[in-house]
Amino acid sequence: MALRIRPRRPAGPAAPAPDTGASPPPGDASDGGDAAPARTASRTRRVAGAVLTMLAALLVVAALVTPDRLAGTGPAALLRIPVEALVAVTLLLVLPDRARRPAAVALGLVLGLLTVVKLLDTGFFVARDRPFDVLLDWGLFDDGYGYLADSLGRAGAVAAAVGAVLLVAGLPVLVALAARRSARLVARHRTGAARVVAALAVLWLGCALFGVRLTAGVPVADRTATTLVASHVGQVRAGLRDRAAFAGQMTADAWRDVPGDRLLTGLRGKDVLVTFVESYGRDAVEDPALAPGVTAVLDDGYRRLRAAGYDARSGFLTSPTFGGGSWLAHATLLSGLWIDNDQRHRDLLAGNRLTLNGAFHRAGWQTVGVFPAATQPWPEGRFFGYDRYYDAEKLAYRGPKFSYAPMPDQYTLSTFQRLERDRPHAPLMAEIPLVSSHSPWSAIPKPVPWPAVGDGSVFHTASTSTGGSRDVVQRDAAQIRADYAHSIEYSLGTLVSYVLTHGGDDLVLVVLGDHQPTASVTGAGASRDVPITIVAKDPAVLDRVADWGWQDGLRPGPQAPVWRMDTFRDRFLTAFSPAH
């Protein structure tokens, strides 16, 4: 019988077992083990990596095209083509591999720092309607912290400060990491990246030549970062040149050596009060949404003053500052120099310029400074040389605090009257900033009868339903504007009441604003003008300023003259020192 020999099966993988419908036992090698979970995890990592890379690229682009003011923000901003991105990608394409990563990190750090400057610019445009000065504005952060503490409380101010520090420190690092990740994408797709850059460069050039815009003020061909750098570099250069120019201006003073017996002869025997009303700007008497209540107070006040024998003349001055920096306006008015930054202010204080109050002192007046918001030592007082100086501590207020203002204006004026004018005295010249109208324009007290003011304790029980909101955080723009207008009404009404109650034949009141309120009240592009008024009972006083062309009343009209604030000192001294 012949034998049937089966051919040997070649070595290799075992044939699959017939499908019996039963599941293999757990852990059996034949089920593929962990292959499926591994494939899922790998796919998740790839998707997450792609999303992260996309977000990194978007962050870099956003850092480049984000404008430096709120008016330019919006979805259209992200659709622009930043020329700096095209240049940066081109650089990364031509660099060798070993240099690409450090170059990307360096570019990212610079871009992150530039973004911080943009954010600072945005904040300064809102508050001061100007960009951040990288040389001179650092000292303002201490004032900003104090403002937040007064507005939000200490805890809120600390939280805001910590958040700001984290943002400033973390944003450059975050943008640098995003730039490094984006550089890896460019390196992996060199050919595609080069084609995209070439196409976008042609598109950028065409849009730049024909001025293509997505919306008004938003060009497709963007160079925001380059323009911003050039602007701040120019700002630094101008600041360095300005110091030398200002030194020459300080030495040129026709009044420096005029003897006291030839100064201010037209005001002999008068008490002269120079009173700044915080944030009292031109918009308060002209903006249709702000002016009705303010002008009603001024017009009614003028009617009552006229009935009591007083008269008034009003015009406008252009302030060197906007939205804040009251000390710059005070120094400008008193020194006759344009003090529009802190470097000029420091240089002024280091010199011996004759100020308006210094001229009064030389001419025999007792000079007084009343500063209700001065809660810390004020070394500037040595420069202004007051014979007597009252800060918040010396004013000894015992009532409640109303937002920023340590004390209401009525208390400030009442205490000045009690300490100075009610006593036998030589003629006085006083500088008195009134701060109830200082932002954030929170609740203020209703006026009380002047004899009841006392040490201010009466304001613990006096009604505060005068319009301002104590909640300074959750307010819309309309409420902020209304609160601002009401605070101006309070300060001006208090001044009118003071003159009617405590004025007299020998009082001369000069009342003016220091600056306009912030752009959140006025809107962008508002003027720097502030109203100024002289009130007196003696007609000879106003006769001396008749050639100024100022208008009758407490309210300057649209056609009233406008002078720069630094010209006031010389005009005032000339009007009342005719022998010079």
Side-chain angles (χ1 to χ4, degrees):
M1 181 171 73
L3 298 175
R4 298 181 63 186
I5 302 175
R6 297 174 180 261
R8 181 175 294 179
R9 181 172 295 173
D19 186 4
T20 63
S23 298
D28 191 279
S30 64
D31 70 350
D34 297 327
R39 285 195 299 272
T40 301
S42 178
R43 186 163 53 249
T44 301
R45 284 194 297 270
R46 287 198 301 273
V47 171
V51 170
L52 193 59
T53 299
M54 180 183 67
L55 292 175
L58 285 175
L59 177 60
V60 172
V61 172
L64 283 167
V65 301
T66 297
D68 60 351
R69 60 188 75 189
L70 292 178
T73 57
L78 292 176
L79 300 179
R80 292 183 286 177
I81 304 172
V83 67
E84 299 87 359
L86 303 181
V87 173
V89 172
T90 301
L91 176 64
L92 295 176
L93 285 171
V94 301
L95 284 175
D97 292 341
R98 65 180 179 275
R100 184 179 299 111
R101 178 177 293 183
V105 171
L107 289 172
L109 286 173
V110 171
L111 180 56
L113 292 172
L114 185 61
T115 307
V116 171
V117 174
K118 284 186 183 182
L119 294 176
L120 291 171
D121 279 354
T122 299
F124 270 73
F125 274 116
V126 170
R128 300 288 184 88
D129 201 24
R130 65 168 177 83
F132 175 70
D133 191 318
V134 296
L135 274 184
L136 304 176
D137 281 341
W138 298 103
L140 296 180
F141 290 108
D142 181 58
D143 296 304
Y145 176 82
Y147 168 77
L148 288 175
D150 290 324
S151 304
L152 307 176
R154 184 174 180 82
V158 170
V162 170
V165 170
L166 291 176
L167 180 65
V168 170
L171 191 57
V173 175
L174 187 61
V175 176
L177 293 175
R180 187 181 70 172
R181 190 173 189 92
S182 301
R184 290 205 300 265
L185 178 65
V186 169
R188 286 198 302 267
H189 304 282
R190 296 176 64 88
T191 302
R195 291 173 178 172
V196 169
V197 168
L200 290 177
V202 172
L203 181 60
W204 188 95
L205 184 60
C207 291
L209 290 174
F210 293 100
V212 179
R213 297 178 182 275
L214 296 168
T215 60
V218 184
V220 174
D222 179 68
R223 50 184 181 181
T224 301
T226 301
T227 302
L228 187 68
V229 170
S231 173
H232 280 286
V233 169
Q235 182 189 67
V236 171
R237 290 175 177 170
L240 295 175
R241 291 194 300 267
D242 179 68
R243 190 168 190 183
F246 183 65
Q249 294 170 19
M250 284 199 299
T251 60
D253 185 3
W255 297 93
R256 180 179 55 194
D257 299 321
V258 177
D261 60 359
R262 294 173 56 192
L263 285 172
L264 299 164
T265 55
L267 290 172
R268 297 293 183 188
K270 307 295 185 185
D271 286 346
V272 181
L273 276 58
V274 178
T275 306
F276 290 89
V277 175
E278 177 69 35
S279 300
Y280 177 35
R282 184 166 190 154
D283 279 36
V285 297
E286 291 188 350
D287 188 315
L290 304 172
V294 175
T295 56
V297 169
L298 293 174
D299 291 345
D300 179 67
Y302 183 52
R303 178 188 58 78
R304 291 190 291 146
L305 287 170
R306 288 279 291 168
Y310 295 89
D311 209 344
R313 302 290 183 270
S314 297
F316 288 108
L317 300 179
T318 300
S319 175
T321 185
F322 181 97
S326 305
W327 58 93
L328 303 178
H330 296 191
T332 295
L333 185 95
L334 296 174
S335 72
L337 294 170
W338 189 251
I339 312 297
D340 61 346
N341 60 62
D342 280 338
Q343 182 60 64
R344 284 189 164 216
H345 191 249
R346 287 192 293 268
D347 289 347
L348 173 69
L349 299 182
N352 58 357
R353 175 82 174 186
L354 178 69
T355 60
L356 188 59
N357 47 301
F360 273 99
H361 180 80
R362 184 184 294 178
W365 270 260
Q366 289 285 291
T367 57
V368 179
V370 182
F371 288 80
T375 57
Q376 298 178 355
W378 193 59
E380 291 92 329
R382 290 194 297 270
F383 169 77
F384 291 106
Y386 303 107
D387 291 301
R388 289 178 296 282
Y389 166 68
Y390 299 94
D391 58 9
E393 181 180 4
K394 290 181 180 177
L395 290 171
Y397 177 63
R398 297 296 180 261
K401 190 171 183 293
F402 294 90
S403 189
Y404 172 86
M407 62 197 70
D409 292 343
Q410 188 180 16
Y411 178 83
T412 300
L413 292 170
S414 176
T415 305
F416 163 71
Q417 180 71 23
R418 174 171 52 83
L419 296 177
E420 292 289 341
R421 296 192 70 228
D422 281 347
R423 299 174 177 178
H425 61 278
L428 296 171
M429 183 275 180
E431 180 192 358
I432 310 177
L434 299 178
V435 295
S436 287
S437 55
H438 193 289
S439 59
W441 308 300
S442 182
I444 50 180
K446 280 186 175 180
V448 300
W450 288 94
V453 173
D455 65 358
S457 300
V458 65
F459 294 112
H460 281 291
T461 55
S463 172
T464 58
S465 59
T466 56
S469 170
R470 286 194 178 275
D471 183 359
V472 299
V473 178
Q474 298 181 359
R475 294 184 299 177
D476 59 19
Q479 184 63 52
I480 292 172
R481 287 163 61 82
D483 290 347
Y484 161 75
H486 186 78
S487 72
I488 296 295
E489 295 166 26
Y490 166 79
S491 292
L492 295 175
T494 300
L495 267 174
V496 170
S497 178
Y498 172 82
V499 174
L500 291 171
T501 305
H502 297 295
D505 295 344
D506 295 329
L507 176 69
V508 176
L509 174 68
V510 181
V511 54
L512 72 155
D514 49 7
H515 52 70
Q516 287 260 51
T518 61
S520 62
V521 173
T522 65
S527 78
R528 268 51 175 174
D529 298 344
V530 298
I532 181 169
T533 299
I534 295 181
V535 179
K537 205 166 192 178
D538 184 351
V541 172
L542 297 181
D543 287 345
R544 290 181 176 272
V545 300
D547 61 346
W548 288 3
W550 286 15
Q551 297 178 340
D552 294 351
L554 300 178
R555 174 169 58 97
Q559 304 306 316
V562 181
W563 305 341
R564 281 195 6 160
M565 192 176 283
D566 57 335
T567 65
F568 179 79
R569 186 204 70 158
D570 287 5
R571 289 177 184 264
F572 189 88
L573 290 175
T574 299
F576 294 103
S577 308
H580 173 61

